Amino acid sequence: MTQLYALGIGRGTQNTQGQWLEVFYPAPLLNPPAELAAAILNTVGAGTHAIKNTEQGQRLSQTLRTARAGEQAAILDGFCADLPAAGQTVICALPTDSPPADVPTAYLKLQLISHRLVRPHGTNLEGIFATLPNVAWTNEGAIDAQELPARQHKARAQGTPLQVQAVDKFPRMTDYVMPSGVRIGDARRVRLGAYLGAGTTVMHEGFVNFNAGTEGPNMVEGRISAGVFIGAGSDLGGGCSIMGTLSGGGELIISVGKDCLIGANAGLGIPLGDRCTIEAGLYLTAGTKVQTIDTQGRSTGAVKAKKLANQSDLLFRRNSLNGTVECLPNRAAIALNKTLHQNN
Amino acid sequence: MTQLYALGIGRGTQNTQGQWLEVFYPAPLLNPPAELAAAILNTVGAGTHAIKNTEQGQRLSQTLRTARAGEQAAILDGFCADLPAAGQTVICALPTDSPPADVPTAYLKLQLISHRLVRPHGTNLEGIFATLPNVAWTNEGAIDAQELPARQHKARAQGTPLQVQAVDKFPRMTDYVMPSGVRIGDARRVRLGAYLGAGTTVMHEGFVNFNAGTEGPNMVEGRISAGVFIGAGSDLGGGCSIMGTLSGGGELIISVGKDCLIGANAGLGIPLGDRCTIEAGLYLTAGTKVQTIDTQGRSTGAVKAKKLANQSDLLFRRNSLNGTVECLPNRAAIALNKTLHQNN
Amino acid sequence: MTQLYALGIGRGTQNTQGQWLEVFYPAPLLNPPAELAAAILNTVGAGTHAIKNTEQGQRLSQTLRTARAGEQAAILDGFCADLPAAGQTVICALPTDSPPADVPTAYLKLQLISHRLVRPHGTNLEGIFATLPNVAWTNEGAIDAQELPARQHKARAQGTPLQVQAVDKFPRMTDYVMPSGVRIGDARRVRLGAYLGAGTTVMHEGFVNFNAGTEGPNMVEGRISAGVFIGAGSDLGGGCSIMGTLSGGGELIISVGKDCLIGANAGLGIPLGDRCTIEAGLYLTAGTKVQTIDTQGRSTGAVKAKKLANQSDLLFRRNSLNGTVECLPNRAAIALNKTLHQNN
């Protein structure tokens, strides 16, 4: 049977050398229907293919309609009306989940995640940093970082200064995907490749890296590093820090279970189970020595925090009279602030 | 006598279904003069009214001039020259301070605050979250979040990718109001409905929610949650967190008095009086047990921080040799850093 | 011999009164060649000079070519094709390193730093706050903050709402200079006048003020205050705070040596030597009393942190069992996370 791992019909930007900078896929597909996969493989074939002119686009669009892929055909029609143009139309057909070898493939995979078609860690992103070029994200769209000075001079000479909002390998997610039921206070702080479940609010102080995210509903006012996933009903307080594997978390893959509360300005370096709380302002690393306390309030010894990884119903706090970091049974299982989740 | 609580002549955006997304009022009025109120009530009447065409606008503008409301007439003239147009011109006349029942009313009330016509908590905002739609804020203006994908596809097909800066119920304040004597390093972080007194600088790490703000002058490098007000001469250090009633502060309404200093990366969960200092890095919640120390340096017992709410001249710190959170008389009453307030 | 301290040929924006708001210099020069300096001094002379029309620009451009300054001549040609225009073309020739007395001079000096021609503290910026006007940075370019309301009304009347991204004396660096080998997740958070060495990544939570920066390579996820410089190979964790002289650091000029690690949500109020670590979440001010511990684990007394200023190979942490801030020999000299520096 004819199969594809993923398929995207998109439009992107190239630099002056004809190298891809980025690609937008309005409706990427994971495991597209066999009939559509066959239509693609029998015409353009597997891999990344630029559509060269309007006529080629129209022929392919007709093929897609015949294969009962009307939505994809409509996308292609929209992107082919003015070819050849500055923006290039591309078809990316991936036979398998291999590491992303070119820019259109990398962008397709990142958009699969942000469209919630796969979860973080659910698609192979090996080597994506080397694949992605460094791009200046401007009010005139994507510009190769190395071609920026010439463009800036030209724009100024025309009296319309260029506005450079970021120079980064990753764009903001919202320019590509806006998942339903989500609010984002400052879109610059959510990278393409983030996964935001329905009911997620990312406030202005929140941040979500690629290949990371939330199950939803969640209130995110802290920073979710690459690779970290947050379970349903958990809240990240303002300015809190979740360590990633690249940024100090080491070998442990950090995650947060359901119905947890990480306090404002707190920090986390171990994976948490469900219904755990970290007090505002406490930074718990894997190596933090923690005094454990039982339900009777008696000390039961000291352990490194990593020994408590993935356990549920724990409350971590720093005793404000003697400075000891303590771990107690979390009796006040968070009555999740419903107003907070609906509002903010 | 004819009275109105508030009046705004504005121009806004609607979605494709004719529902309001947002409204800009250049010069909203609180308790407008009786003559103007009468002119409005006798023509368009109380409530929210769209101006349908240029002719209606011109007639009304003439009426306003007769009622000696030249500024409002000029605003109306500017907004009616090209009606009917994509942007809709609207008059919002509120007889009383009732909960905002529609989008034009909610936006009028938020702009009353940001224009410093009322202080935070000074106008009824009950139910505003339910009233406000979720809007994509883009380089092409406000777009209904649900209509965003179609617009993104169309913009790409035209070679001009849409830039989605936020998807939120609240826009940034500066697109509507820029109060005098204020600087804002990153305008995305000040929501419409913030109140910033003259002499306020909100640095890039600062944040101010709606229905919250500063008396001025103030240096804000930390986060002011909804409902919180900061007195004159107080400084919020970089990354500090002020709890709001929605986000963990519980029943207590948090505020900060005059001439206080909240250190960088510190946090506050109780209302402070005047001339208080919280040491950098210390998170003081309502439940933090605090060792009180008298002017002789003698310990006078331990209390929960909420017992110290609203008291003045206190210094909170964590003793770095024994980990105890201490509260001392604040002798070094902050010689406010004048350079800091003028510069930054 | 004819000499100039610095030279810039630029194009800028003026308000409706003809006062400068900002100037962009594509390729500013420090100590330009004597032949070029002589050509400038013999034609326009020292100081700031607007080019009035295309003809004057062309004559001067010919002079520059004769003085073997082809790049500057090309810049001038680009900026003079349409004079007189809204954007003004300007030549700024500084005989000496004096305090910036006008806007074109201040912008030239800030661009010297961001182009890495001088390091932070390497050019005289005395009084720059008083020299720089407060500017609204919008999608239509720089607008005088006092002229903003009229422009907002007009833009709305035309159906194209103005987007006000900041109201500040300093613009974002990337609209003027994008140094090579650098990535910036959110460009709003790097002010013009920042110095970013090659190999620097400023993540979305990072911030760099003017007259401050990094030697490179560096990973910056925390805040670098005005005047602070970070040595090669040092990492600033997410949300960490480096005090500046204006914002609490007092008289000490704070800096960070090579190969240091400031943990996430930590803070620093003293200058550090090389290979120092501050544990995540620990705020070390100059006044923090620190327990020193020798290589045998024995306590050697308590000192204020400022006594440890500029020393190398120190690890600062808060003992999580007894709350004491400790300073130990830093045995785990940071094996710099190479993946982190290449990626993030």
Side-chain angles (χ1 to χ4, degrees):
Chain A
M1 198 177 113
T2 311
Q3 287 190 330
L4 280 175
Y5 169 67
L7 172 67
I9 296 178
R11 184 156 177 160
T13 311
Q14 295 181 339
N15 68 7
T16 61
Q17 306 304 308
Q19 297 167 315
W20 289 108
L21 297 177
E22 56 84 49
V23 181
F24 166 65
Y25 301 99
L29 297 172
L30 182 73
N31 305 320
E35 192 173 357
L36 171 54
I40 292 289
L41 290 171
N42 293 335
T43 50
V44 294
T48 298
H49 305 276
I51 304 299
K52 292 186 178 55
N53 52 52
T54 303
E55 191 186 24
Q56 184 195 2
Q58 286 170 338
R59 276 200 315 271
L60 184 56
S61 153
Q62 191 50 51
T63 304
L64 293 176
R65 284 206 167 78
T66 305
R68 294 185 293 182
E71 186 186 12
Q72 301 295 321
I75 288 170
L76 187 58
D77 285 341
F79 285 167
C80 287
D82 65 347
L83 289 181
Q88 297 289 328
T89 299
V90 66
I91 295 190
C92 184
L94 305 182
T96 61
D97 182 16
S98 309
D102 60 16
V103 171
T105 302
Y107 270 77
L108 177 54
K109 287 182 163 234
L110 293 172
Q111 286 170 67
L112 288 177
I113 300 174
S114 291
H115 273 284
R116 300 177 186 151
L117 295 171
V118 298
R119 290 213 174 190
H121 301 292
T123 189
N124 187 337
L125 297 177
E126 195 183 325
I128 193 168
F129 269 96
T131 300
L132 294 177
N134 199 18
V135 172
W137 304 99
T138 82
N139 60 318
E140 295 185 8
I143 297 176
D144 187 316
Q146 299 190 320
E147 298 177 355
L148 183 60
R151 288 284 292 270
Q152 284 179 307
H153 184 210
K154 188 179 162 199
R156 275 282 181 164
Q158 295 170 340
T160 55
L162 208 54
Q163 295 170 37
V164 182
Q165 298 147 2
V167 181
D168 193 12
K169 287 169 176 275
F170 293 81
R172 60 182 161 209
M173 182 187 76
T174 52
D175 290 356
Y176 297 80
V177 186
M178 186 57 209
S180 59
V182 167
R183 287 193 289 130
I184 302 177
D186 184 354
R188 191 69 254 155
R189 291 172 68 88
V190 179
R191 273 178 158 177
L192 181 62
Y195 179 109
L196 299 182
T200 298
T201 294
V202 182
M203 283 290 284
H204 306 66
E205 186 65 20
F207 167 75
V208 188
N209 213 326
F210 77 101
N211 205 27
T214 61
E215 189 172 10
N218 296 93
M219 171 62 63
V220 179
E221 310 195 50
R223 303 183 300 275
I224 303 178
S225 297
V228 172
F229 196 68
I230 310 293
S234 290
D235 288 342
L236 304 188
C240 79
S241 155
I242 314 289
M243 284 182 170
T245 47
L246 290 177
S247 53
E251 302 306 310
L252 279 171
I253 294 184
I254 313 292
S255 61
V256 172
K258 298 179 192 299
D259 299 331
C260 291
L261 174 62
I262 315 297
N265 287 4
L268 180 64
I270 63 167
L272 288 185
D274 300 331
R275 297 172 304 280
C276 292
T277 297
I278 298 187
E279 179 193 56
L282 173 63
Y283 209 114
L284 190 77
T285 67
T288 303
K289 283 178 195 151
V290 175
Q291 181 82 48
T292 55
I293 293 181
D294 68 14
T295 53
Q296 311 302 315
R298 293 171 303 212
S299 165
T300 54
V303 297
K304 286 202 173 182
K306 65 183 165 189
K307 292 277 186 187
L308 303 168
N310 293 308
Q311 295 189 26
S312 293
D313 299 296
L314 302 181
L315 164 66
F316 293 91
R317 69 178 186 198
R318 189 189 302 275
N319 185 307
S320 62
L321 293 179
N322 62 24
T324 304
V325 175
E326 300 171 341
C327 175
L328 298 82
N330 195 15
R331 281 176 288 196
I334 309 306
L336 256 187
N337 189 330
K338 290 208 177 142
T339 314
L340 184 60
H341 276 292
Q342 286 163 13
N343 307 339
N344 51 22
Chain B
M1 196 178 112
T2 313
Q3 287 190 331
L4 280 175
Y5 169 67
L7 172 67
I9 297 178
R11 184 157 178 160
T13 311
Q14 296 181 339
N15 68 8
T16 60
Q17 306 303 307
Q19 297 166 317
W20 288 108
L21 297 177
E22 56 85 48
V23 181
F24 166 65
Y25 300 100
L29 297 171
L30 181 73
N31 305 320
E35 193 174 356
L36 171 56
I40 292 289
L41 291 171
N42 294 336
T43 50
V44 295
T48 297
H49 305 277
I51 305 299
K52 293 186 178 53
N53 51 53
T54 304
E55 191 186 23
Q56 184 196 1
Q58 286 170 340
R59 276 200 315 271
L60 183 56
S61 154
Q62 192 51 49
T63 304
L64 294 176
R65 283 206 168 77
T66 304
R68 294 183 296 182
E71 186 186 11
Q72 300 295 321
I75 289 170
L76 187 57
D77 285 341
F79 285 167
C80 288
D82 64 346
L83 289 180
Q88 298 288 328
T89 298
V90 66
I91 294 191
C92 184
L94 305 181
T96 62
D97 182 16
S98 308
D102 60 15
V103 171
T105 302
Y107 270 77
L108 177 53
K109 287 182 163 236
L110 293 172
Q111 284 169 70
L112 288 177
I113 301 174
S114 291
H115 273 283
R116 300 178 186 150
L117 295 171
V118 298
R119 290 214 175 189
H121 302 291
T123 190
N124 187 337
L125 297 177
E126 195 182 324
I128 193 169
F129 270 96
T131 300
L132 293 177
N134 199 18
V135 172
W137 304 98
T138 81
N139 60 318
E140 295 185 8
I143 297 177
D144 188 316
Q146 300 189 319
E147 298 177 356
L148 183 61
R151 288 284 294 269
Q152 284 180 307
H153 183 210
K154 187 179 163 200
R156 275 282 181 165
Q158 294 170 341
T160 56
L162 208 54
Q163 295 169 37
V164 182
Q165 297 147 4
V167 181
D168 193 13
K169 287 168 177 275
F170 293 82
R172 61 183 160 208
M173 182 187 76
T174 52
D175 289 356
Y176 297 81
V177 186
M178 186 57 210
S180 58
V182 167
R183 286 194 289 130
I184 302 177
D186 183 355
R188 190 70 255 155
R189 292 173 67 89
V190 178
R191 274 179 158 177
L192 181 62
Y195 179 110
L196 300 182
T200 298
T201 294
V202 182
M203 282 291 283
H204 308 66
E205 185 65 21
F207 167 75
V208 188
N209 213 326
F210 77 102
N211 204 27
T214 61
E215 189 172 11
N218 296 91
M219 172 61 63
V220 179
E221 309 195 51
R223 303 183 302 274
I224 303 178
S225 297
V228 172
F229 196 68
I230 309 294
S234 290
D235 287 343
L236 304 187
C240 79
S241 156
I242 314 289
M243 284 182 170
T245 48
L246 291 176
S247 52
E251 302 305 312
L252 279 171
I253 294 183
I254 313 291
S255 61
V256 172
K258 296 180 193 299
D259 299 331
C260 291
L261 174 63
I262 315 297
N265 286 4
L268 180 64
I270 62 168
L272 288 185
D274 300 331
R275 298 171 303 280
C276 291
T277 297
I278 298 187
E279 177 193 59
L282 173 63
Y283 209 113
L284 190 77
T285 67
T288 302
K289 284 177 195 148
V290 175
Q291 181 82 47
T292 55
I293 293 181
D294 69 14
T295 53
Q296 311 304 314
R298 293 171 302 213
S299 165
T300 54
V303 297
K304 286 201 175 184
K306 64 183 167 189
K307 293 277 187 187
L308 302 169
N310 293 308
Q311 295 188 24
S312 294
D313 300 296
L314 302 181
L315 164 67
F316 294 91
R317 68 176 187 199
R318 189 189 303 274
N319 186 308
S320 62
L321 293 180
N322 63 25
T324 305
V325 175
E326 301 171 341
C327 176
L328 297 83
N330 195 15
R331 282 176 288 195
I334 308 306
L336 257 185
N337 189 331
K338 291 208 175 143
T339 313
L340 184 59
H341 276 293
Q342 286 164 13
N343 307 341
N344 53 17
Chain C
M1 198 178 113
T2 313
Q3 288 190 328
L4 281 175
Y5 169 66
L7 172 67
I9 296 178
R11 185 157 177 161
T13 311
Q14 295 182 339
N15 68 8
T16 61
Q17 306 303 307
Q19 296 167 316
W20 288 108
L21 298 177
E22 56 85 48
V23 181
F24 166 65
Y25 301 100
L29 297 172
L30 182 73
N31 305 319
E35 193 173 357
L36 171 55
I40 292 290
L41 290 171
N42 293 335
T43 50
V44 295
T48 298
H49 305 278
I51 304 299
K52 294 188 176 55
N53 52 52
T54 303
E55 191 186 24
Q56 185 195 1
Q58 286 169 340
R59 276 200 315 271
L60 184 55
S61 153
Q62 192 51 50
T63 303
L64 294 176
R65 283 204 168 79
T66 304
R68 294 184 294 181
E71 186 186 12
Q72 300 295 320
I75 288 170
L76 186 58
D77 286 340
F79 286 167
C80 288
D82 64 348
L83 289 179
Q88 297 289 328
T89 299
V90 67
I91 294 190
C92 184
L94 305 181
T96 62
D97 182 17
S98 308
D102 60 16
V103 171
T105 302
Y107 270 76
L108 177 53
K109 288 183 162 232
L110 293 172
Q111 285 169 69
L112 288 177
I113 301 174
S114 292
H115 273 284
R116 300 179 187 150
L117 295 171
V118 298
R119 290 212 174 191
H121 302 292
T123 190
N124 187 337
L125 298 176
E126 196 183 324
I128 194 169
F129 270 96
T131 300
L132 294 177
N134 199 18
V135 172
W137 304 98
T138 80
N139 61 318
E140 295 186 7
I143 297 176
D144 188 316
Q146 300 189 318
E147 298 177 356
L148 183 60
R151 287 284 293 271
Q152 284 179 308
H153 184 211
K154 187 179 161 198
R156 275 282 181 166
Q158 295 170 340
T160 56
L162 209 54
Q163 295 169 38
V164 182
Q165 297 147 3
V167 181
D168 193 11
K169 288 169 176 275
F170 293 81
R172 61 184 159 207
M173 181 188 76
T174 53
D175 289 357
Y176 297 80
V177 186
M178 186 57 209
S180 59
V182 167
R183 286 193 290 130
I184 302 177
D186 184 354
R188 190 70 255 155
R189 292 172 68 87
V190 179
R191 274 178 158 177
L192 181 62
Y195 179 109
L196 299 182
T200 298
T201 294
V202 182
M203 283 290 284
H204 307 67
E205 185 66 20
F207 167 75
V208 188
N209 213 326
F210 76 102
N211 205 28
T214 61
E215 189 171 11
N218 296 92
M219 171 62 62
V220 179
E221 310 195 50
R223 303 183 300 275
I224 302 178
S225 297
V228 172
F229 196 68
I230 310 294
S234 290
D235 288 343
L236 304 187
C240 79
S241 155
I242 314 289
M243 285 183 170
T245 48
L246 291 176
S247 53
E251 302 305 311
L252 279 171
I253 295 183
I254 312 292
S255 61
V256 172
K258 298 179 191 300
D259 299 331
C260 292
L261 174 62
I262 315 296
N265 287 3
L268 180 64
I270 62 166
L272 288 185
D274 300 331
R275 298 171 304 280
C276 291
T277 297
I278 298 186
E279 178 193 58
L282 172 63
Y283 208 113
L284 190 77
T285 67
T288 302
K289 284 178 195 150
V290 176
Q291 182 82 47
T292 55
I293 294 181
D294 68 13
T295 53
Q296 311 303 316
R298 294 172 302 212
S299 165
T300 54
V303 296
K304 287 202 173 180
K306 64 183 164 189
K307 293 277 186 188
L308 302 169
N310 294 309
Q311 294 189 25
S312 293
D313 299 296
L314 302 181
L315 164 66
F316 293 91
R317 68 177 187 199
R318 189 188 303 274
N319 186 309
S320 62
L321 293 180
N322 63 24
T324 304
V325 175
E326 300 171 340
C327 175
L328 298 83
N330 195 16
R331 281 177 287 196
I334 308 306
L336 258 185
N337 189 330
K338 291 211 175 137
T339 313
L340 184 60
H341 276 291
Q342 286 165 13
N343 308 339
N344 51 19

